[in-house]
Amino acid sequence: MAPSGPRKGSAPSGPRNNRGSAAGGTKGVSRGGISKRRGNNATRIDRDGDLDMDAPAAGNHSSRKARRGDHHNSASSAPRSNRPAANGSRAPRPTMKAQQIVQRVITGTTGSLSSRIASGMSGGPRAYKGAHPNNTSDTVVLQVQGLNSSKAVNNEGGGLKELLTFLERKAQSVGKTTRQIRIKKSHINGDFVYITTSREDGEEILKLNGFSFAGTTIAITEAPGEQPLTNQKGMSSTALEIKEVLRGVLSARYDTSAKLLNLSALGEDPGLNQMGFFSGESKPEKLFRALMAVCDSFFKTAQDKRDHVVSISLAGNNIDDVFQIMSLTETFPDLLNLDLSRNQFKDLRGLQKWRYRLRKLQTLLLNDNPIEIANPQYTAEITTWFPRLQNLSGIQVRTPEQVAAMEAASRPTPIPQHGADFRDINGIGEAFIREFLPMYDADRSSLAAKYYDNESTFSIAVNNVNSRQSAHAQQVGWGAYIKFSRNHIKITHTSTRIQRLFTGTSLVQGVWQQLPPTHHPDLVSEFNKYIVDCHPVHGLGDPTGQSPTGVDGMIITIHGEFDDQEPATMRTAKRSFSRTFVLGPGAPGRNPIRVISDMLSVRAFNPLPTLIPEPAPQPNADTQQQQMVIELCNRTGMTPEYSKLCLDGANWNFDQALVSFNEKRAQLPAEAFVTAPQ
């Protein structure tokens, strides 16, 4: 076995220190690493087959040789090319140079062929994209020759990774430096590998000029001032040649009138076979990614792809898993028709990776695949994967009408906007809001004193997240509101919720004074900026305490907008709001109407939706009156005869009839009720 590594105290030995090695021995062929021409058995190599940089002096050599015995003479001194090959090794395949280049590109370890086309096939993540910069005071560009003639060229990635690792490791060993030698960038151009590194590291790498790497001698020199340039996208001439071949294949297989890209039986394509795309260890999915990359250059935008490629055929390509053609869904996500017939799909697992892709696919052909025999019921499962699929292997699985209905059902249905529902009683609601909004803008203290008492409550909720994207939305601050906000989504602690429910006239006045001044649009002249709902409510607390069952009142909800002025910046901001009032009778000696509850919600501005009231069906007058009689019977407990009399006296105004009933209830005889009133 060769020594495990260099030892201290030795002098470098390389091509420039090659004295006394011309006599005797058989020159063997090295299989990698740096190796000196060996003329006798004294030369020792390390475990990589490289020259031992720390070989002992001549005085020590005889004793070491004696200790090693015959094994050293028979094994270490034998020409390396004559040693039996290790189990599992294989000789390099004899290939043409052009095939080697193509093979290196297709089977590279650094990514797909498509990425190499996009990056100039530079050989890996270290690749230098674009033209080499001129040497500066901090960096230097070196050119290395010999990679294409080495045995490493048949490795994955063309041997570039192995060459770069070799240069970094050996430069550090030869220079006996403790710092790490690092190659910053690399780029293959023709027979040369161009590397960019720091000037200090470059001096160490230059010492390896003339050393052996993978059976060949490498030449390392500083690159001239004018470097060979690649094209504007950083692509080498070889990459351009391959790209042109692929463009030609795609052009010949594209049907303009049918908007069909026919990629069936690619293994039989003469152009691809001539370039060696299916020889050796190349993988079809890498070729397919390259084809999709070229398609991206044909069709620049997603709309171009939708307009020009409607159908793709991949029939007869021996595909058994969609992972091999996954890039299809990335390049053509809106494809409508796909032919996968005459392939090797055996079960649903080979197709499952597309379960949430190609959402617009309408036709999928899987004829003449093993799955038809192995799982005849596969159609039911695949139909659920593609929501717009109508034709599966020639069988209609959905109709266009079913697809349209499914899409309509999947869309969110907004709450219908049928306009305001304003059921006022004796004009009380209208009078209240027409007075409230101007007074809130001008004199909040007097407004609170008039309509709020010691049991009235006020709260504010701030929604500072605009859920609807609108061009009218403004970037406004919420600092003046947020400290009072009782938004239950944000405020989860019970104590804070209780603290921010302001009860009583003085607390309401206090918080109103701290809110920014506002200006609401005029309710009469700009009523289109409001939506107001009003309807009666029953069972409210009686401030006089005389009615145990409660009294009647009303709920008013108003949606609209206002302008306010931020105290910190003095900027004017427009906001949307919703405000809900619960009104009831006032206490004796006070205003006849009081606010029981006032809930204000403030949010980012969005205009109100345009309301187009739907025409309501006009019921028969007799039928409508009968329904009103039944409803009044249920509400009041009166007999149908008395309910009809009550409605007739209120001119068939249901809300007014309820008010009249509550006012005259005590005067009604017992026979007016179905059961005696309690």
Side-chain angles (χ1 to χ4, degrees):
M1 181 178 292
S4 60
R7 298 178 178 85
K8 294 183 179 180
S10 62
S13 58
R16 291 166 293 184
N17 197 23
N18 191 22
R19 296 187 295 270
S21 60
T26 304
K27 185 173 78 169
V29 180
S30 173
R31 292 183 296 176
I34 305 174
S35 65
K36 182 92 171 203
R37 288 191 178 92
R38 289 179 289 276
N40 51 49
N41 294 335
T43 304
R44 299 172 54 228
I45 57 175
D46 64 15
R47 61 184 175 185
D48 295 321
D50 305 331
L51 186 65
D52 189 353
M53 299 301 173
D54 301 312
N60 283 337
H61 180 64
S62 60
S63 61
R64 288 185 180 273
K65 183 175 180 181
R67 285 197 300 269
R68 289 184 176 271
D70 293 338
H71 176 73
H72 174 78
N73 294 333
S74 60
S76 299
S77 62
R80 295 179 63 88
S81 60
N82 294 333
R83 297 181 187 176
N87 292 335
S89 63
R90 59 179 178 84
R93 296 185 304 276
T95 57
M96 297 176 61
K97 187 173 181 179
Q99 290 177 325
Q100 290 178 344
I101 295 174
V102 174
Q103 185 74 7
R104 183 171 70 249
V105 171
I106 294 177
T107 62
T109 59
T110 58
S112 65
L113 179 57
S114 59
S115 66
R116 293 175 182 274
I117 288 177
S119 64
M121 301 185 187
S122 54
R126 301 171 182 255
Y128 184 79
K129 299 179 181 178
H132 293 287
N134 293 330
N135 293 345
T136 64
S137 58
D138 298 328
T139 62
V140 62
V141 178
L142 307 179
Q143 61 182 18
V144 183
Q145 187 176 18
L147 176 62
N148 289 344
S149 59
S150 69
K151 294 179 181 179
V153 75
N154 292 319
N155 296 347
E156 285 189 315
L160 179 64
K161 179 180 178 181
E162 290 81 357
L163 175 63
L164 298 178
T165 303
F166 169 80
L167 293 176
E168 290 176 339
R169 178 172 59 85
K170 284 303 176 184
Q172 185 173 356
S173 175
V174 170
K176 298 191 179 301
T177 177
T178 57
R179 75 174 188 281
Q180 184 179 3
I181 303 296
R182 184 178 179 185
I183 296 173
K184 298 179 179 179
K185 301 176 183 178
S186 63
H187 173 65
I188 297 178
N189 192 300
D191 294 333
F192 293 95
V193 176
Y194 291 92
I195 60 175
T196 303
T197 184
S198 67
R199 183 165 293 278
E200 188 178 13
D201 289 348
E203 293 176 356
E204 301 299 332
I205 295 175
L206 281 171
K207 295 178 182 179
L208 303 182
N209 180 36
F211 281 71
S212 293
F213 166 75
T216 190
T217 301
I218 56 174
I220 307 176
T221 58
E222 188 168 347
E226 293 297 329
Q227 322 269 317
L229 299 179
T230 57
N231 65 79
Q232 292 181 352
K233 293 186 178 180
M235 298 180 64
S236 66
S237 58
T238 305
L240 284 174
E241 179 184 356
I242 295 176
K243 182 176 180 180
E244 287 306 312
V245 171
L246 297 181
R247 287 176 67 92
V249 170
L250 291 173
S251 298
R253 288 171 169 265
Y254 177 65
D255 186 339
T256 307
S257 59
K259 298 181 180 180
L260 167 67
L261 184 58
N262 185 2
L263 300 179
S264 61
L266 289 174
E268 301 174 6
D269 189 280
L272 297 177
N273 279 290
Q274 185 177 0
M275 291 295 294
F277 280 102
F278 299 101
S279 63
E281 299 176 352
S282 62
K283 297 181 179 180
E285 56 264 32
K286 293 190 176 182
L287 167 64
F288 195 77
R289 284 198 295 267
L291 289 172
M292 292 298 100
V294 176
C295 285
D296 285 328
S297 68
F298 273 124
F299 311 108
K300 303 294 185 182
T301 65
Q303 188 60 45
D304 282 344
K305 296 171 183 176
R306 286 191 290 267
D307 293 340
H308 295 94
V309 179
V310 175
S311 308
I312 292 180
S313 174
L314 289 170
N317 279 303
N318 203 35
I319 303 168
D320 60 5
D321 196 309
V322 293
F323 179 77
Q324 300 166 357
I325 52 175
M326 188 64 73
S327 53
L328 170 73
T329 62
E330 299 165 359
T331 303
F332 298 102
D334 300 323
L335 189 67
L336 300 183
N337 308 302
L338 178 61
D339 184 3
L340 292 176
S341 59
R342 303 195 313 278
N343 281 290
Q344 297 298 320
F345 293 103
K346 300 176 182 178
D347 49 37
L348 291 173
R349 286 180 298 178
L351 298 160
Q352 196 165 17
K353 295 182 181 67
W354 277 5
R355 183 168 187 171
Y356 300 104
R357 297 175 180 248
L358 300 178
R359 309 301 288 173
K360 297 182 180 179
L361 193 67
Q362 297 178 2
T363 301
L364 176 61
L365 303 181
L366 288 169
N367 307 89
D368 299 326
N369 275 275
I371 192 174
E372 290 187 308
I373 299 175
N375 184 7
Q377 305 301 322
Y378 74 96
T379 56
E381 179 71 15
I382 290 183
T383 301
T384 63
W385 294 357
F386 305 103
R388 298 189 183 183
L389 189 65
Q390 301 177 35
N391 182 355
L392 179 55
S393 299
I395 301 173
Q396 186 176 32
V397 293
R398 291 190 188 98
T399 63
E401 292 75 18
Q402 289 175 320
V403 173
M406 290 175 60
E407 291 181 355
S410 66
R411 288 192 292 266
T413 303
I415 298 175
Q417 300 290 334
H418 298 300
D421 179 17
F422 199 82
R423 290 178 283 159
D424 199 0
I425 299 176
N426 297 329
I428 294 175
E430 180 181 353
F432 171 77
I433 59 175
R434 293 184 68 168
E435 182 181 17
F436 185 92
L437 294 180
M439 284 191 70
Y440 185 82
D441 293 338
D443 190 358
R444 295 177 183 176
S445 180
S446 299
L447 176 64
K450 180 176 181 179
Y451 283 105
Y452 294 73
D453 60 18
N454 292 334
E455 296 182 358
S456 300
T457 62
F458 168 77
S459 64
I460 181 172
V462 175
N463 179 9
N464 56 1
V465 178
N466 186 20
S467 59
R468 289 186 295 165
Q469 298 298 324
S470 171
H472 303 275
Q474 304 175 4
Q475 295 295 329
V476 295
W478 296 97
Y481 294 94
I482 205 72
K483 58 185 177 182
F484 303 113
S485 176
R486 198 171 179 255
N487 187 337
H488 280 201
I489 296 178
K490 304 290 186 181
I491 307 300
T492 57
H493 292 87
T494 304
S495 59
T496 306
R497 290 180 177 180
I498 295 174
Q499 183 182 6
R500 296 186 181 184
L501 179 62
F502 304 99
T503 304
T505 306
S506 59
L507 289 180
V508 173
Q509 289 175 327
V511 68
W512 279 5
Q513 294 304 318
Q514 297 182 60
L515 294 177
T518 58
H519 174 73
H520 292 75
D522 182 69
L523 188 63
V524 177
S525 61
E526 299 181 272
F527 189 72
N528 61 319
K529 295 183 178 180
Y530 295 96
I531 297 177
V532 185
D533 295 321
C534 175
H535 60 86
V537 63
H538 311 288
L540 300 177
D542 184 1
T544 64
Q546 298 178 358
S547 176
T549 59
V551 294
D552 295 331
M554 64 178 60
I555 292 179
I556 300 176
T557 301
I558 179 169
H559 310 277
E561 64 186 60
F562 62 75
D563 295 321
D564 68 5
Q565 191 175 56
E566 298 180 24
T569 62
M570 303 304 292
R571 288 192 313 166
T572 300
K574 186 178 293 292
R575 308 179 196 270
S576 294
F577 78 94
S578 296
R579 199 158 191 167
T580 301
F581 302 96
V582 178
L583 304 183
R590 291 182 59 89
N591 192 61
I593 302 297
R594 72 182 181 112
V595 174
I596 299 175
S597 172
D598 175 7
M599 294 183 293
L600 172 63
S601 174
V602 186
R603 59 188 177 274
F605 173 71
N606 260 313
L608 293 174
T610 302
L611 302 178
I612 304 177
E614 297 181 359
Q618 298 297 327
N620 181 281
D622 293 338
T623 302
Q624 186 178 17
Q625 289 181 357
Q626 290 175 5
Q627 293 175 349
M628 293 175 67
V629 169
I630 294 172
E631 180 65 20
L632 189 61
C633 289
N634 294 333
R635 291 278 193 95
T636 63
M638 291 191 300
T639 63
E641 293 78 9
Y642 273 88
S643 295
K644 185 176 181 180
L645 288 173
C646 183
L647 286 165
D648 191 42
N651 198 23
W652 292 95
N653 185 316
F654 187 84
D655 294 326
Q656 186 62 45
L658 280 175
V659 173
S660 299
F661 167 77
N662 288 318
E663 291 175 351
K664 300 177 181 180
R665 180 174 183 174
Q667 305 173 13
L668 294 175
E671 61 267 19
F673 298 92
V674 177
T675 58
Q678 299 297 324

